[in-house]
Amino acid sequence: MKLNIDGLLVYFPYDYIYPEQYSYMLELKRTLDAKGHGVLEMPSGTGKTISLLSLIVAYQKAYPLEVTKLVYCSRTVPEIEKVVEELRKLMDYYTKQTEAKNDFLALALSSRKNLCIHPEVSALRFGKEVDGKCHSLTASYIRAQHHSNPSQPVCQFYEEFDAVGRQVPIPPGIYNLDDLKDFGRRKGWCPYFLARYAILHANIVVYSYHYLLDPKIADLVSKELAKKSVVVFDEAHNIDNVCIDSMSVNITRRTLDRCQTNVETLQNTISRIKETDAAKLREEYSRLVEGLKEANVARETDMYLSNPVLPDEILQEAVPGSIRTAEHFVGFMKRFLEYLKARLRIHHVVQESAPQFLKDIYEKVCIDRKPLRFCAERLRSLLRTLEIADIADFSAITLISHFATLVSTYSKGFTIIIEPFEDRTPTIANPVLHFSCMDPSIAIKPVFGRFQSVIITSGTLSPLDIYPRILDFRPVTVASFTMTLARTCLCPLIVGRGNDQVAMTSKFETREDFAVIRNYGNLLLEMSAIVPDGIVAFFTSYIYMENIVASWYEQGILENIQRNKLIFIETQDAAETSMALEKYQEACENGRGAILLSVARGKVSEGIDFVHHYGRAVIMFGVPYVYTQSRILKARLEYLRDQFQIRENDFLTFDAMRHAAQCVGRAIRGKTDYGLMIFADKRYARADKRGKLPRWIQEHLTDGSLNLTIDETVQLGKHFLRQMAQPFRQEDQLGLSLLTLEQLQSEDMLQKIAQIAQQA
Amino acid sequence: KYKAAQTVFNIDKKCQKISPDGKAKIQLQLLLHTGESTTFHFANGSTALKDRDATKELLQQLLPKFKKKANKELEEKNRMLQEDPVLFQLYKDLVVSQVISAEEFWANRLSLNTVEHSLSNNNKQEVGISAAFLADIRPQTDGCNGLRYNLTSDIIESIFRTYPTVKQKYAENIPHNMTEKEFWTRFFQSHYFHRDRISTGQQDIFSECAKQDEKGLKSMVTQGVKNPMVDLLSLEDKSLDEGYGTATVPTTSNSSNKSLRENSNSAIIKRFNHHSAMVLAAGLRKAEAPSDQASETSSTDGNSRDSDFFQPPLKKVKLQESIEYDDLQGDSGRQTIALNLKKSDRYSHGPIPLQSQHYTTSQDIINSISIIQHEMRNYKPRLTQVMSSNAASSAITALSPGGLLMQGGGQQTINQLVPTDVQSELKHLYTAAGELLRHFWSCFPVNTPFLEEKLTGHLEEMLQAAYSKFQVWQTRRMMRKT
């Protein structure tokens, strides 16, 4: 249908529309008009993606000069591919309606592992191997060697692309990963480099978070993206963790050992080159005297996305003399390495700030702050000069150099923790230096600064006000949308007690309690008898799940559950879990029914949807608090309190509740879907927990379902499931949660829609 | 006594009772389904007790087998009667009215239907395996430091089907290496059964099974999953490089510093995953085995991972499925399933007689109805192009009975003259007589005394009975007519 969103003609590729989609588009339009940032929460399964795409594409077509590009970031590869498929649907609709030839170029970008078509390289299993192998075939000096010595192997796909691929633009269309590969095969071009090149002029780019948030990758891939882009972060409820992870570094003894060998290799290479090709080193030297001016020019002219690892100040200066020659730099790195080794030889935990660390390093080994800051850039230049084939081998020294640059650049927002051993195994020495980022805004700042509109959206972003605070930006729209429902297809229940009235909770003091474990077991057992097909149960942590499973096994609870359903359990091995997951779906499919025991914050809870019969009930055993004894977390909490005035408990609860909401939200993926959401912990009944659930779950939590026993839960669940099993037709939804164009245009419907969005 | 015992096998037994050990009389009582009971008295003094026990054992083993057989036959007969109304009528006419005995009736039938019999047996659904079959053998303490395991033939069957390696071991070791009892005792003691116990490394015939299972699990894992949407390995697009991130670094020495308890816990988890997978596979295996056609197609339908070219279809389908909002779509476009013909010539040159019959699925009917409805809706009478009334009325007369085009209907057949109940009665009599004649002819050549006896005494009686029956019917009909 064709919609009128606040004066903008939007093509929407369906005959019907959900009211909340309309409302969502309205808010989105406002955000784009204001050229500001937005935080939008809309339940999963209400067609968020297609709403986003429809509106932004319409906006791009209407105002091609205002918004030149859409950068859509999602989290997982399947998600990325889904987005592109939805986009394809939209574009098909456009061509059908307007009968004009599509002139849009949209493509997905992923790592080499998912795009490589080289027969040998693509056969490798791990991403890192593929990257390394690819580099060894496509690096510039390898190709130069190939010219003089044709026996040197190169990648013919890259050669072909390099020869002609850049001149001929890729024809407009929608390219998913497989389409890119097909196209690459047809033309004989490398799809990966083709995609990387094509994103610069594509209208829509879909890729993963890391390409924007991880400074190491963003610098390579995304820095030339146009300023007038709209950036969307979908499934953004964990965006702060992605930011933090990309800026944090861990150094173990093994890292240092490998770094040691790296340094030795460098030294040998340098002395060899010095004998054969001294001019090359001299050339590099003079280039470094010039400084990093090019980068500076580019940034000043607003061409590049700035790199948080490469702060502005160093761009204006030349590389300090002490590390300008290759030998001096290697010597410098050696000294730094020795210092780190000494720091790891400790017997007690040390925590210090970056300035303290710098002071110490100056006192001990006379390393100044300034050369440290240039470490990362200097190493990169050196590796380039020395024509190192396999960059992957030098990951250790690259890591150390990044650490050096970061620690000397940021005096705030980071902490250094050196732990001599793991908490659980105090007898085994395993020293680790954690350099951990505590401020997610550092990594995302360039994104907010550069692009005119950044939309943060997800099914679970409650409480909404916390994201602008921890990411340090000022949104123009902050809204949460509810799910309009013709029938209440979600049924959140809080189970607080067993039938013996013993409180159920995963609170640390009582979690090992026999009665609690037994009651949890009984709950699962009872549910397995009444819920059809699939049940997914989440535990707060892997270790907790292991313990509970073991005691359920001893008590024979699992065997009784097996009478009703098959049991599959997530393990720490991803391949094993994938298999269990597939078998689980198979068992749901063939009617046998199954239970999947899984872990909140695990891969399953974040990336896998349990639509329809794959998940008729989700049970959340306990409140998934993060492991609070970790020093890194403590440091972060402290930082949040001091910098953002967020109380520790507020943050912990927020973090736990967003994960709980993610887990239970896995089961509802649409209005025709239905599922029980069982929160098995009495603490969920408290207002401070409950209030942090997304609005679309909260509004179905009645006072009657707050502190149930297992029996009551079973009764309510039975009732709910029986109701939901009745046929549900489109007509039942029409006019309430599903609208035709005429219904949408009626006055009172528009009024109703206005209430869907709740501004925070 | 043994002979006596042998003969009773042919009788349906309900249960058996033995006299308590202390009693003077050593007896074995068999309770039959019919309610009768037979008591065997073991009299040869010293060995009586042993004999009795041996008999009991034998009976116990034979009982389930026989029971199954008996039940199966009964079921089969029942099924045949239910599926074939003509046969049922015949059965009523001949057996219920005691013209011939049930055995005779079936003796002829069953052998006749052996082909069909075996066929239907194949199609019969296997009984599934309960996921909790191992739980059913939960040991119970018998009060004096012993454990008692309950093992039934069903459970053994389940174990064999879920764990083929155990079956293999069973075949290898029984009966020459150990007795059955010993085998199961060892099984229950083994590390294999108690997966949470850490292997003690002692001689355990099942350790090999465990190893094989491990191997199977590994190969399953390395094979990977077919559905790209659940493949956790390729979920993440770009993982952080080693050394970055806040997550705790995985310990380099993972297995050595794990406590014993943790190891046993993860063993339990592995076991449950494996067990569930095996149970699921056992169910599917049976379903796929008889029709290799199905497995043939399933292996080529794009599920195989080995080639990159085969992967996209499944992936595409899954992707499309996951982005579909069926309620947003108008008339959610009729889903059709593409016909996947393996050998298309086989379908185009089918057996001739079958072609005459026109099969329609319910979906076809629904579709065609909707098409007709659609056409009716769009139907506009073209009034300018109608026939003249003269032509129309002549066409009607031509088409009505007796008309020019309906000559065939002129000769009225017998089924319009005779009322239906008489017809059906006649039909029954005819088939009954035919059946008797079949019995009669099947006696030739007369080469056994049994056949001779049947021919001379028995059949004559039967035919007599049939004659009289026909007579009765005829007179009744005559009377009714007059």
Side-chain angles (χ1 to χ4, degrees):
Chain A
M1 59 170 83
K2 289 180 210 168
L3 301 168
N4 175 2
I5 308 279
D6 197 12
L8 178 71
L9 173 67
V10 174
Y11 284 82
F12 189 73
Y14 291 99
D15 302 327
Y16 300 92
I17 187 170
Y18 297 142
E20 54 268 42
Q21 287 181 315
Y22 184 78
S23 175
Y24 189 88
M25 288 196 247
L26 275 178
E27 291 296 327
L28 194 58
K29 165 97 182 353
R30 256 172 237 160
T31 319
L32 296 189
D33 282 341
K35 293 192 169 48
H37 311 314
V39 178
L40 304 172
E41 178 186 63
M42 181 148 99
S44 45
T46 49
K48 193 174 22 175
T49 309
I50 194 65
S51 318
L52 263 168
L53 293 174
S54 303
L55 188 102
I56 297 177
V57 166
Y59 206 94
Q60 261 176 299
K61 295 221 176 202
Y63 312 103
L65 295 177
E66 297 293 315
V67 172
T68 53
K69 196 192 287 286
L70 163 64
V71 181
Y72 197 107
C73 302
S74 198
R75 287 163 40 105
T76 63
V77 178
E79 292 288 343
I80 288 168
E81 296 193 278
K82 269 194 239 173
V83 173
V84 179
E85 288 310 314
E86 298 215 32
L87 190 60
R88 193 193 308 279
K89 189 168 211 165
L90 176 66
M91 286 309 178
D92 286 349
Y93 184 73
Y94 260 100
T95 33
K96 217 160 75 193
Q97 291 295 311
T98 58
E99 283 171 7
K101 220 174 135 343
N102 175 35
D103 54 350
F104 249 55
L105 175 62
L107 57 95
L109 175 63
S110 180
S111 55
R112 289 180 177 87
K113 184 179 159 247
N114 294 322
L115 281 176
C116 182
I117 54 171
H118 190 279
E120 285 162 42
V121 182
S122 60
L124 297 169
R125 268 197 86 171
F126 297 102
K128 209 175 276 177
E129 290 172 353
V130 177
D131 289 351
K133 186 85 186 159
C134 177
H135 191 85
S136 72
L137 293 175
T138 56
S140 52
Y141 57 91
I142 297 266
R143 300 177 53 226
Q145 277 172 24
H146 176 73
H147 271 292
S148 52
N149 171 19
S151 67
Q152 172 81 34
V154 288
C155 174
Q156 78 272 20
F157 295 105
Y158 182 78
E159 294 302 316
E160 198 65 27
F161 165 72
D162 197 52
V164 284
R166 276 184 246 270
Q167 281 90 25
V168 196
I170 176 167
I174 314 295
Y175 295 89
N176 213 335
L177 298 178
D178 286 328
D179 305 321
L180 281 170
K181 276 178 161 177
D182 281 346
F183 184 76
R185 277 203 196 91
R186 266 207 314 281
K187 295 267 183 183
W189 296 349
C190 171
Y192 174 74
F193 285 100
L194 175 69
R196 262 184 59 178
Y197 176 71
I199 62 170
L200 296 179
H201 56 264
N203 302 82
I204 298 172
V205 181
V206 186
Y207 58 27
S208 94
Y209 279 21
H210 299 282
Y211 290 99
L212 266 188
L213 293 182
D214 189 339
K216 301 177 285 296
I217 311 173
D219 201 36
L220 285 173
V221 178
S222 312
K223 69 175 172 187
E224 288 174 65
L225 291 186
K227 195 172 164 17
K228 286 183 174 172
S229 303
V230 175
V231 176
V232 174
F233 288 105
D234 198 0
E235 304 285 324
H237 47 272
N238 261 345
I239 194 168
D240 53 325
N241 290 333
V242 178
C243 293
I244 281 179
D245 277 350
S246 68
M247 300 285 281
S248 297
V249 175
N250 299 301
I251 297 169
T252 62
R253 209 170 254 169
R254 197 166 143 262
T255 326
L256 295 182
D257 289 344
R258 281 176 48 219
C259 189
Q260 181 79 39
T261 43
N262 287 166
V263 168
E264 276 155 23
T265 326
L266 284 181
Q267 214 160 14
N268 293 338
T269 327
I270 289 171
S271 55
R272 204 179 61 235
I273 287 191
K274 214 166 177 195
E275 284 160 21
T276 57
D277 197 0
K280 205 186 256 171
L281 289 175
R282 271 202 301 281
E283 198 182 300
E284 188 204 16
Y285 182 87
S286 50
R287 203 168 60 228
L288 290 174
V289 176
E290 286 288 300
L292 305 164
K293 277 195 190 128
E294 305 159 46
N296 189 30
V297 169
R299 195 177 288 181
E300 272 177 353
T301 52
D302 209 24
M303 296 273 287
Y304 286 174
L305 174 70
S306 66
N307 181 348
V309 186
L310 203 68
D312 278 331
E313 303 96 84
I314 55 173
L315 296 175
Q316 285 144 20
E317 303 167 36
V319 174
S322 57
I323 57 168
R324 221 175 279 164
T325 68
E327 290 134 312
H328 286 168
F329 176 63
V330 171
F332 175 85
M333 282 311 279
K334 247 174 154 175
R335 219 158 8 121
F336 185 55
L337 190 60
E338 287 307 320
Y339 171 76
L340 288 178
K341 274 186 183 165
R343 289 301 305 264
L344 281 188
R345 276 193 289 272
I346 49 157
H347 298 290
H348 55 94
V349 178
V350 176
Q351 179 171 358
E352 60 190 21
S353 64
Q356 277 170 315
F357 181 85
L358 290 177
K359 186 160 167 269
D360 190 63
I361 197 171
Y362 184 71
E363 282 167 3
K364 296 256 172 64
V365 286
C366 292
I367 287 183
D368 216 355
R369 177 164 170 244
K370 200 172 168 198
L372 271 180
R373 287 172 75 182
F374 285 88
C375 246
E377 270 312 294
R378 181 68 191 88
L379 180 70
R380 217 154 64 151
S381 156
L382 182 66
L383 289 178
R384 231 178 4 238
T385 314
L386 297 183
E387 302 183 348
I388 303 291
D390 197 354
I391 295 278
D393 278 352
F394 287 84
S395 63
I397 196 168
T398 317
L399 181 77
I400 300 285
S401 72
H402 274 139
F403 165 65
T405 304
L406 283 170
V407 77
S408 50
T409 307
Y410 293 99
S411 54
K412 255 174 64 180
F414 288 84
T415 188
I416 296 166
I417 296 169
I418 309 174
E419 288 176 325
F421 45 74
E422 272 181 68
D423 280 343
R424 285 192 298 140
T425 52
T427 47
I428 301 158
N430 181 24
V432 185
L433 185 148
H434 300 284
F435 175 68
S436 81
C437 174
M438 296 181 298
D439 190 347
S441 67
I442 293 174
I444 205 170
K445 200 171 171 213
V447 178
F448 283 125
R450 177 167 177 81
F451 299 111
Q452 71 179 29
S453 273
V454 178
I455 312 292
I456 296 210
T457 186
S458 172
T460 53
L461 283 176
S462 295
L464 288 169
D465 58 323
I466 205 157
Y467 284 91
R469 272 159 87 191
I470 57 178
L471 297 178
D472 192 25
F473 71 105
R474 229 167 251 129
V476 293
T477 39
V478 179
S480 171
F481 304 86
T482 53
M483 199 169 179
T484 53
L485 291 173
R487 59 166 189 180
T488 322
C489 69
L490 48 115
C491 178
L493 300 171
I494 296 176
V495 196
R497 300 163 286 152
N499 289 336
D500 50 6
Q501 301 301 325
V502 176
M504 273 205 273
T505 174
S506 68
K507 207 154 70 177
F508 186 73
E509 298 81 44
T510 57
R511 57 163 56 179
E512 300 295 330
D513 194 336
F514 187 75
V516 171
I517 293 178
R518 193 191 53 226
N519 274 334
Y520 274 160
N522 283 339
L523 174 64
L524 187 60
L525 176 59
E526 300 275 334
M527 295 318 288
S528 75
I530 64 157
V531 177
D533 301 319
I535 299 179
V536 193
F538 289 100
F539 293 85
T540 54
S541 74
Y542 193 77
I543 296 167
Y544 187 53
M545 177 173 83
E546 259 190 351
N547 287 337
I548 284 201
V549 165
S551 49
W552 281 354
Y553 174 73
E554 277 155 23
Q555 294 170 31
I557 291 174
L558 284 182
E559 278 160 351
N560 286 324
I561 293 172
Q562 274 185 320
R563 281 179 216 279
N564 301 326
K565 288 186 191 303
L566 291 175
I567 298 177
F568 293 97
I569 305 171
E570 180 176 359
T571 67
Q572 277 168 322
D573 180 299
E576 248 177 80
T577 310
S578 309
M579 194 203 74
L581 204 57
E582 194 180 49
K583 298 277 173 204
Y584 166 82
Q585 294 200 339
E586 213 171 276
C588 293
E589 197 71 62
N590 76 6
R592 216 180 158 117
I595 291 179
L596 184 72
L597 303 182
S598 181
V599 176
R601 296 164 193 280
K603 279 198 167 150
V604 173
S605 72
E606 288 293 335
I608 306 293
D609 288 346
F610 296 97
V611 287
H612 295 291
H613 58 287
Y614 293 136
R616 282 300 180 215
V618 185
I619 306 176
M620 182 72 237
F621 290 116
V623 184
Y625 278 113
V626 68
Y627 174 63
T628 46
Q629 297 308 303
S630 130
R631 290 187 186 82
I632 299 174
L633 180 76
K634 279 181 180 160
R636 188 173 169 203
L637 290 176
E638 218 166 277
Y639 184 82
L640 284 172
R641 194 189 53 209
D642 296 345
Q643 294 299 315
F644 302 119
Q645 286 77 47
I646 297 171
R647 275 181 299 153
E648 287 159 30
N649 256 332
D650 280 350
F651 182 77
L652 286 175
T653 312
F654 149 74
D655 185 59
M657 293 315 282
R658 68 172 161 179
H659 281 105
Q662 262 305 301
C663 291
V664 296
R666 295 279 124 196
I668 303 284
R669 293 281 137 176
K671 295 187 172 185
T672 51
D673 201 356
Y674 63 88
L676 282 165
M677 301 174 163
I678 296 173
F679 298 91
D681 194 310
K682 66 164 188 187
R683 289 175 290 172
Y684 283 111
R686 287 190 208 148
D688 67 316
K689 306 279 186 307
R690 203 156 32 105
K692 289 192 169 70
L693 283 174
R695 199 155 76 98
W696 56 277
I697 297 180
Q698 242 185 87
E699 49 180 26
H700 297 290
L701 257 178
T702 54
D703 285 340
S705 54
L706 285 189
N707 189 18
L708 305 169
T709 65
I710 293 175
D711 273 351
E712 288 162 351
T713 313
V714 169
Q715 285 314 315
L716 287 171
K718 261 187 187 163
H719 180 73
F720 171 76
L721 289 169
R722 206 159 27 205
Q723 271 191 329
M724 287 300 117
Q726 305 308 314
F728 185 59
R729 287 157 306 148
Q730 199 175 39
E731 297 87 77
D732 301 334
Q733 281 204 63
L734 219 54
L736 289 166
S737 57
L738 189 68
L739 304 176
T740 59
L741 192 56
E742 297 91 68
Q743 283 168 330
L744 185 65
Q745 282 156 348
S746 77
E747 203 50 49
D748 52 332
M749 185 48 80
L750 288 175
Q751 257 168 26
K752 256 189 221 165
I753 287 173
Q755 289 163 10
I756 289 173
Q758 192 187 50
Q759 314 284 336
Chain B
K1 305 294 177 310
Y2 282 118
K3 263 182 202 150
Q6 297 290 343
T7 53
V8 284
F9 291 149
N10 299 327
I11 311 166
D12 293 345
K13 291 179 294 291
K14 202 153 83 185
C15 73
Q16 50 177 338
K17 288 177 180 169
I18 55 168
S19 57
D21 282 352
K23 282 238 176 111
K25 275 185 189 169
I26 295 162
Q27 290 181 329
L28 178 72
Q29 190 184 36
L30 296 178
L31 237 70
L32 305 184
H33 272 302
T34 46
E36 303 163 42
S37 69
T38 318
T39 311
F40 295 94
H41 191 151
F42 291 81
N44 36 346
S46 54
T47 58
L49 194 66
K50 235 174 86 190
D51 280 352
R52 205 258 334 256
D53 284 347
T55 319
K56 194 196 78 182
E57 277 297 310
L58 198 64
L59 279 176
Q60 223 159 27
Q61 280 178 26
L62 288 173
L63 200 66
K65 265 186 219 164
F66 188 74
K67 203 159 124 195
K68 222 178 254 172
K69 199 180 157 206
N71 278 343
K72 218 192 255 169
E73 252 178 46
L74 250 169
E75 254 172 50
E76 180 65 14
K77 286 175 185 172
N78 230 330
R79 191 186 60 78
M80 280 170 69
L81 286 181
Q82 270 169 8
E83 282 176 7
D84 191 349
V86 180
L87 193 72
F88 187 54
Q89 189 57 44
L90 201 61
Y91 187 83
K92 274 208 301 209
D93 286 346
L94 292 178
V95 180
V96 178
S97 60
Q98 288 184 330
V99 175
I100 59 173
S101 70
E103 278 102 77
E104 263 176 302
F105 181 80
W106 285 119
N108 235 320
R109 280 285 147 192
L110 281 178
S111 62
L112 213 146
N113 288 324
T114 37
V115 190
E116 192 204 353
H117 183 91
S118 64
L119 214 116
S120 67
N121 238 4
N122 260 346
N123 288 338
K124 216 178 74 181
Q125 249 189 336
E126 280 280 343
V127 178
I129 299 171
S130 158
F133 68 81
L134 286 177
D136 293 330
I137 20 177
R138 268 270 110 167
Q140 293 151 351
T141 46
D142 59 358
C144 46
N145 274 341
L147 284 176
R148 188 205 304 246
Y149 290 92
N150 297 319
L151 202 59
T152 66
S153 56
D154 280 347
I155 293 179
I156 292 176
E157 167 84 16
S158 300
I159 292 175
F160 283 166
R161 271 170 60 191
T162 349
Y163 296 105
T165 49
V166 177
K167 188 174 185 179
Q168 199 188 328
K169 282 281 158 206
Y170 183 85
E172 278 169 20
N173 289 305
I174 308 291
H176 38 277
N177 277 350
M178 57 182 84
T179 66
E180 199 174 342
K181 193 174 167 192
E182 207 178 330
F183 179 83
W184 291 116
T185 317
R186 290 242 201 134
F187 179 73
F188 290 130
Q189 284 168 351
S190 68
H191 157 64
Y192 190 60
F193 183 61
H194 297 281
R195 213 44 95 62
D196 52 326
R197 290 183 197 160
I198 299 307
S199 174
T200 41
Q202 66 192 12
Q203 276 202 342
D204 185 349
I205 54 166
F206 295 105
S207 58
E208 206 176 302
C209 296
K211 255 180 231 155
Q212 279 201 9
D213 280 357
E214 196 96 322
K215 238 203 245 156
L217 196 67
K218 261 214 190 98
S219 78
M220 266 199 271
V221 167
T222 46
Q223 234 175 31
V225 291
K226 292 173 202 150
N227 181 355
M229 308 304 275
V230 298
D231 191 358
L232 295 171
L233 283 174
S234 61
L235 210 59
E236 203 100 349
D237 185 28
K238 185 96 187 180
S239 55
L240 290 167
D241 285 338
E242 196 184 340
Y244 295 95
T246 48
T248 41
V249 213
T251 44
T252 42
S253 49
N254 38 22
S255 59
S256 57
N257 60 7
K258 255 192 181 174
S259 70
L260 207 65
R261 183 166 165 74
E262 276 170 50
N263 265 335
S264 101
N265 284 355
S266 61
I268 292 175
I269 287 177
K270 269 219 177 89
R271 181 195 171 173
F272 270 103
N273 277 341
H274 183 245
H275 176 76
S276 299
M278 289 304 264
V279 170
L280 198 61
L284 294 178
R285 213 170 14 232
K286 288 292 179 222
E288 260 170 34
S291 56
D292 52 346
Q293 185 90 24
S295 59
E296 199 184 336
T297 46
S298 74
S299 66
T300 50
D301 64 357
N303 285 4
S304 55
R305 266 179 82 78
D306 44 8
S307 165
D308 201 30
F309 294 101
F310 280 125
Q311 215 189 335
L314 181 73
K315 193 172 159 188
K316 273 250 159 71
V317 170
K318 292 276 173 199
L319 270 178
Q320 284 302 332
E321 253 172 41
S322 59
I323 64 162
E324 209 142 85
Y325 289 94
D326 40 2
D327 46 348
L328 283 182
Q329 234 113 29
D331 49 352
S332 51
R334 258 180 218 98
Q335 298 234 328
T336 52
I337 294 165
L339 181 62
N340 185 11
L341 291 187
K342 283 246 78 186
K343 295 175 180 119
S344 56
D345 53 329
R346 205 202 282 167
Y347 290 86
S348 39
H349 308 293
I352 309 301
L354 277 178
Q355 274 187 337
S356 63
Q357 277 155 310
H358 185 66
Y359 289 107
T360 44
T361 63
S362 51
Q363 187 59 44
D364 282 343
I365 294 170
I366 293 168
N367 283 351
S368 50
I369 286 176
S370 67
I371 288 168
I372 290 171
Q373 274 175 343
H374 182 74
E375 280 181 357
M376 286 310 287
R377 222 173 284 140
N378 296 338
Y379 172 73
K380 282 199 196 83
R382 272 177 290 180
L383 293 170
T384 51
Q385 292 171 12
V386 291
M387 272 192 218
S388 68
S389 59
N390 270 352
S393 64
S394 73
I396 286 170
T397 40
L399 280 168
S400 46
L404 195 67
L405 295 169
M406 302 295 278
Q407 283 297 316
Q411 298 131 359
Q412 289 205 330
T413 49
I414 189 139
N415 56 11
Q416 275 159 311
L417 292 173
V418 185
T420 45
D421 58 326
V422 180
Q423 266 180 54
S424 70
E425 237 176 302
L426 196 64
K427 216 157 85 188
H428 294 326
L429 274 177
Y430 174 74
T431 46
E435 177 70 15
L436 280 181
L437 277 176
R438 211 166 54 75
H439 274 275
F440 175 75
W441 286 116
S442 71
C443 290
F444 293 100
V446 191
N447 44 15
T448 59
F450 172 70
L451 281 181
E452 197 183 333
E453 195 245 353
K454 183 177 172 183
L455 197 61
T456 50
H458 208 57
L459 262 182
E460 217 172 299
E461 242 171 69
M462 285 189 234
L463 289 176
Q464 211 56 55
Y467 275 133
S468 59
K469 220 177 159 190
F470 181 69
Q471 218 67 53
V472 169
W473 180 73
Q474 193 116 19
T475 46
R476 207 175 61 210
R477 247 185 70 72
M478 284 309 177
M479 274 164 64
R480 212 187 294 162
K481 252 192 178 167
T482 53

